[in-house]
PDB file of all heavy atoms in Angstrom:
ATOM      1  N   LEU A 153      70.081  36.395 213.705  1.00 96.00           N
ATOM      2  CA  LEU A 153      69.599  37.365 212.751  1.00 96.00           C
ATOM      3  C   LEU A 153      68.561  36.605 211.870  1.00 96.00           C
ATOM      4  O   LEU A 153      68.944  35.803 211.049  1.00 96.00           O
ATOM      5  CB  LEU A 153      70.740  37.944 211.908  1.00 96.00           C
ATOM      6  CG  LEU A 153      70.418  39.162 211.085  1.00 96.00           C
ATOM      7  CD1 LEU A 153      71.687  39.994 210.832  1.00 96.00           C
ATOM      8  CD2 LEU A 153      69.779  38.830 209.764  1.00 96.00           C
ATOM      9  N   CYS A 154      67.279  36.857 212.136  1.00 94.00           N
ATOM     10  CA  CYS A 154      66.229  36.076 211.449  1.00 94.00           C
ATOM     11  C   CYS A 154      65.535  36.918 210.342  1.00 94.00           C
ATOM     12  O   CYS A 154      65.279  38.084 210.609  1.00 94.00           O
ATOM     13  CB  CYS A 154      65.170  35.612 212.468  1.00 94.00           C
ATOM     14  SG  CYS A 154      65.714  34.205 213.363  1.00 94.00           S
ATOM     15  N   HIS A 155      65.207  36.285 209.284  1.00 94.00           N
ATOM     16  CA  HIS A 155      64.575  36.952 208.130  1.00 94.00           C
ATOM     17  C   HIS A 155      63.206  36.291 207.904  1.00 94.00           C
ATOM     18  O   HIS A 155      63.136  35.077 207.626  1.00 94.00           O
ATOM     19  CB  HIS A 155      65.518  36.766 206.953  1.00 94.00           C
ATOM     20  CG  HIS A 155      65.069  37.510 205.720  1.00 94.00           C
ATOM     21  ND1 HIS A 155      65.868  37.580 204.590  1.00 94.00           N
ATOM     22  CD2 HIS A 155      63.946  38.203 205.387  1.00 94.00           C
ATOM     23  CE1 HIS A 155      65.244  38.274 203.643  1.00 94.00           C
ATOM     24  NE2 HIS A 155      64.092  38.686 204.108  1.00 94.00           N
ATOM     25  N   VAL A 156      62.147  37.056 207.985  1.00 94.00           N
ATOM     26  CA  VAL A 156      60.829  36.568 207.627  1.00 94.00           C
ATOM     27  C   VAL A 156      60.552  37.113 206.216  1.00 94.00           C
ATOM     28  O   VAL A 156      60.266  38.293 206.040  1.00 94.00           O
ATOM     29  CB  VAL A 156      59.710  37.062 208.577  1.00 94.00           C
ATOM     30  CG1 VAL A 156      58.364  36.508 208.200  1.00 94.00           C
ATOM     31  CG2 VAL A 156      60.029  36.633 210.026  1.00 94.00           C
ATOM     32  N   PRO A 157      60.668  36.224 205.165  1.00 91.00           N
ATOM     33  CA  PRO A 157      60.597  36.756 203.771  1.00 91.00           C
ATOM     34  C   PRO A 157      59.156  37.062 203.408  1.00 91.00           C
ATOM     35  O   PRO A 157      58.198  36.662 204.065  1.00 91.00           O
ATOM     36  CB  PRO A 157      61.120  35.536 202.975  1.00 91.00           C
ATOM     37  CG  PRO A 157      60.874  34.346 203.753  1.00 91.00           C
ATOM     38  CD  PRO A 157      60.909  34.763 205.233  1.00 91.00           C
ATOM     39  N   ASP A 158      58.986  37.763 202.266  1.00 87.00           N
ATOM     40  CA  ASP A 158      57.624  38.147 201.872  1.00 87.00           C
ATOM     41  C   ASP A 158      56.772  36.953 201.477  1.00 87.00           C
ATOM     42  O   ASP A 158      55.537  37.055 201.573  1.00 87.00           O
ATOM     43  CB  ASP A 158      57.649  39.286 200.811  1.00 87.00           C
ATOM     44  CG  ASP A 158      58.465  38.933 199.598  1.00 87.00           C
ATOM     45  OD1 ASP A 158      58.974  37.778 199.506  1.00 87.00           O
ATOM     46  OD2 ASP A 158      58.602  39.798 198.708  1.00 87.00           O
ATOM     47  N   ASP A 159      57.400  35.845 201.090  1.00 88.00           N
ATOM     48  CA  ASP A 159      56.599  34.638 200.772  1.00 88.00           C
ATOM     49  C   ASP A 159      56.382  33.761 202.011  1.00 88.00           C
ATOM     50  O   ASP A 159      55.847  32.704 201.949  1.00 88.00           O
ATOM     51  CB  ASP A 159      57.206  33.869 199.632  1.00 88.00           C
ATOM     52  CG  ASP A 159      58.511  33.212 200.005  1.00 88.00           C
ATOM     53  OD1 ASP A 159      58.966  33.355 201.190  1.00 88.00           O
ATOM     54  OD2 ASP A 159      59.156  32.527 199.165  1.00 88.00           O
ATOM     55  N   ARG A 160      56.908  34.276 203.143  1.00 90.00           N
ATOM     56  CA  ARG A 160      56.721  33.642 204.463  1.00 90.00           C
ATOM     57  C   ARG A 160      57.578  32.408 204.698  1.00 90.00           C
ATOM     58  O   ARG A 160      57.676  31.894 205.799  1.00 90.00           O
ATOM     59  CB  ARG A 160      55.282  33.319 204.784  1.00 90.00           C
ATOM     60  CG  ARG A 160      54.542  34.639 205.068  1.00 90.00           C
ATOM     61  CD  ARG A 160      53.124  34.666 204.702  1.00 90.00           C
ATOM     62  NE  ARG A 160      52.642  36.064 204.555  1.00 90.00           N
ATOM     63  CZ  ARG A 160      51.611  36.425 203.898  1.00 90.00           C
ATOM     64  NH1 ARG A 160      50.823  35.528 203.302  1.00 90.00           N
ATOM     65  NH2 ARG A 160      51.284  37.696 203.822  1.00 90.00           N
ATOM     66  N   GLY A 161      58.132  31.823 203.651  1.00 88.00           N
ATOM     67  CA  GLY A 161      59.094  30.729 203.752  1.00 88.00           C
ATOM     68  C   GLY A 161      58.531  29.490 204.372  1.00 88.00           C
ATOM     69  O   GLY A 161      59.272  28.741 205.023  1.00 88.00           O
ATOM     70  N   LEU A 162      57.252  29.188 204.166  1.00 94.00           N
ATOM     71  CA  LEU A 162      56.647  28.010 204.767  1.00 94.00           C
ATOM     72  C   LEU A 162      56.616  26.856 203.770  1.00 94.00           C
ATOM     73  O   LEU A 162      56.711  27.073 202.544  1.00 94.00           O
ATOM     74  CB  LEU A 162      55.204  28.331 205.284  1.00 94.00           C
ATOM     75  CG  LEU A 162      55.101  29.468 206.245  1.00 94.00           C
ATOM     76  CD1 LEU A 162      53.624  29.735 206.537  1.00 94.00           C
ATOM     77  CD2 LEU A 162      55.823  29.160 207.547  1.00 94.00           C
ATOM     78  N   PHE A 163      56.462  25.629 204.261  1.00 95.00           N
ATOM     79  CA  PHE A 163      56.291  24.474 203.390  1.00 95.00           C
ATOM     80  C   PHE A 163      54.782  24.122 203.404  1.00 95.00           C
ATOM     81  O   PHE A 163      54.278  23.665 204.448  1.00 95.00           O
ATOM     82  CB  PHE A 163      57.125  23.284 203.951  1.00 95.00           C
ATOM     83  CG  PHE A 163      58.602  23.572 204.009  1.00 95.00           C
ATOM     84  CD1 PHE A 163      59.183  23.979 205.174  1.00 95.00           C
ATOM     85  CD2 PHE A 163      59.362  23.414 202.849  1.00 95.00           C
ATOM     86  CE1 PHE A 163      60.545  24.260 205.215  1.00 95.00           C
ATOM     87  CE2 PHE A 163      60.732  23.691 202.909  1.00 95.00           C
ATOM     88  CZ  PHE A 163      61.311  24.117 204.061  1.00 95.00           C
ATOM     89  N   PRO A 164      54.144  24.299 202.266  1.00 95.00           N
ATOM     90  CA  PRO A 164      52.664  24.181 202.216  1.00 95.00           C
ATOM     91  C   PRO A 164      52.141  22.784 202.712  1.00 95.00           C
ATOM     92  O   PRO A 164      51.096  22.696 203.260  1.00 95.00           O
ATOM     93  CB  PRO A 164      52.291  24.348 200.725  1.00 95.00           C
ATOM     94  CG  PRO A 164      53.487  24.942 200.090  1.00 95.00           C
ATOM     95  CD  PRO A 164      54.708  24.647 200.909  1.00 95.00           C
ATOM     96  N   GLY A 165      52.960  21.708 202.477  1.00 96.00           N
ATOM     97  CA  GLY A 165      52.494  20.374 202.851  1.00 96.00           C
ATOM     98  C   GLY A 165      52.750  20.026 204.312  1.00 96.00           C
ATOM     99  O   GLY A 165      52.303  18.960 204.779  1.00 96.00           O
ATOM    100  N   LEU A 166      53.470  20.865 205.028  1.00 96.00           N
ATOM    101  CA  LEU A 166      53.760  20.585 206.434  1.00 96.00           C
ATOM    102  C   LEU A 166      52.775  21.311 207.351  1.00 96.00           C
ATOM    103  O   LEU A 166      52.336  22.422 207.020  1.00 96.00           O
ATOM    104  CB  LEU A 166      55.201  21.027 206.805  1.00 96.00           C
ATOM    105  CG  LEU A 166      56.346  20.284 206.106  1.00 96.00           C
ATOM    106  CD1 LEU A 166      57.673  20.694 206.711  1.00 96.00           C
ATOM    107  CD2 LEU A 166      56.148  18.770 206.159  1.00 96.00           C
TER     108      LEU A 166
END
Side-chain angles (χ1 to χ4, degrees):
L153 194 153
C154 281
H155 185 173
V156 180
D158 53 5
D159 66 2
R160 288 149 200 160
L162 303 175
F163 299 97
L166 297 188

